[in-house]
Amino acid sequence: MEKNKLPEINTEMASEEVSAVGEAPEEKKSGTKKLVNDILDIVESTFATVFVMIMVFTYLLHPVNVDGDSMNPTLHDKDRILMTTVYGKLEYGDIVIVNNDAVYGIDADGDAVDMAVKNNQLDKCIIKRVIAAGGQTINIDNSDSDRSKWTVEVDGKVIDEPYIAETAFTSKSGLFDGKFPFKVPEGYYFVMGDNRNNSSDSRSGYVGLIKKDQVYGKALVRYNPLSDFKFLFNSHKESAED
């Protein structure tokens, strides 16, 4: 080996090593950018979810607290339910939340008339069940001496009411006493509570017929207490024990 001779250098290997070292900052930058994009995606998804939930609970679903026992045994005092303000045609069995700010009866011709009740004790939000809609004929038959045989008829047919407690009976005394049977005017509803022995409803001079624009919404589900979670749109087909 000659003195003072420099060792040979593999220039190709050195070039590769230099190139590898030079790419490291770019890889780090790419990784940081990916992390930022992932975080932004998560934030965007979260905001989108929150926005959708806000829209749903603002325009579609509203929580409602049940106050009182007029809907026993289907609903109880302090139950919490969700109602929807978007619904189609209201029919028999639907549970509705009503703004009871006016009382409507019928005149001699069967047309709806504002009773102009002063100091209405029930000028508030109430929850009841639709029994008959506009165009249908409602009748409460109390002719039998046995109260358990008192019936509610719609269009001449006795309706099945499994949602009423066994000891409940439907009296017709009140605003429409002496007027049964009668046809519900178009655009109005005849409503009653499931707890017929203790319910101020369309039979009462403080409630009367419900005008369509008085209906806030339709009850969908009871969500609290959670142990009694229940869908309500088919409750008129279920027995009181369910």
Side-chain angles (χ1 to χ4, degrees):
M1 182 174 182
E2 298 180 6
K3 294 182 179 180
N4 302 323
K5 186 176 182 181
L6 296 176
E8 294 183 359
I9 299 176
N10 188 331
T11 56
E12 293 185 359
M13 180 66 70
S15 176
E16 290 179 3
E17 290 176 352
V18 171
S19 176
V21 171
E23 288 179 358
E26 292 297 327
E27 292 180 357
K28 184 177 181 181
K29 183 177 179 180
S30 176
T32 301
K33 184 176 180 180
K34 184 177 183 303
L35 177 61
V36 171
N37 287 337
D38 289 343
I39 293 175
L40 289 176
D41 287 341
I42 294 173
V43 171
E44 182 180 1
S45 299
T46 301
F47 272 109
T49 301
V50 171
F51 178 77
V52 170
M53 293 299 293
I54 291 174
M55 292 298 100
V56 167
F57 281 95
T58 299
Y59 297 103
L60 297 180
L61 298 177
H62 298 268
V64 175
N65 294 325
V66 177
D67 182 14
D69 301 311
S70 70
M71 284 298 291
N72 286 355
T74 305
L75 296 172
H76 301 90
D77 186 37
K78 308 306 180 186
D79 279 357
R80 304 187 72 177
I81 67 174
L82 286 177
M83 77 169 187
T84 178
T85 55
V86 179
Y87 52 86
K89 181 180 178 181
L90 292 176
E91 300 176 332
Y92 162 67
D94 289 335
I95 297 175
V96 292
I97 293 79
V98 175
N99 175 20
N100 190 45
D101 60 347
V103 178
Y104 296 95
I106 55 174
D107 60 18
D109 297 322
D111 296 323
V113 56
D114 189 342
M115 303 302 292
V117 176
K118 296 181 179 180
N119 301 318
N120 190 344
Q121 302 175 22
L122 287 174
D123 183 6
K124 61 180 182 179
C125 186
I126 60 176
I127 181 167
K128 304 295 173 184
R129 187 185 297 274
V130 173
I131 302 300
Q136 294 184 304
T137 298
I138 179 75
N139 185 39
I140 299 176
D141 185 357
N142 292 167
S143 60
D144 201 297
S145 58
D146 183 353
R147 291 184 174 184
S148 66
K149 296 181 180 180
W150 289 2
T151 59
V152 178
E153 301 173 358
V154 176
D155 292 335
K157 297 181 179 180
V158 176
I159 59 175
D160 182 27
E161 298 189 286
Y163 42 79
I164 297 177
E166 292 182 3
T167 57
F169 57 88
T170 304
S171 170
K172 64 180 179 181
S173 60
L175 182 62
F176 299 103
D177 190 16
K179 297 184 178 181
F180 290 101
F182 69 89
K183 182 177 289 188
V184 179
E186 292 292 343
Y188 293 81
Y189 302 96
F190 191 93
V191 302
M192 286 195 280
D194 292 354
N195 186 7
R196 298 291 166 76
N197 296 347
N198 187 27
S199 174
S200 294
D201 45 46
S202 285
R203 298 169 294 168
S204 168
Y206 292 115
V207 180
L209 297 174
I210 300 302
K211 197 173 184 178
K212 186 176 181 179
D213 61 13
Q214 289 180 284
V215 178
Y216 276 135
K218 176 180 174 180
L220 290 182
V221 63
R222 174 175 58 200
Y223 66 92
N224 192 286
L226 188 58
S227 58
D228 291 329
F229 183 90
K230 179 185 182 74
F231 290 107
L232 299 172
F233 41 78
N234 283 324
S235 63
H236 61 293
K237 299 179 181 178
E238 302 170 359
S239 67
E241 289 78 19
D242 288 347

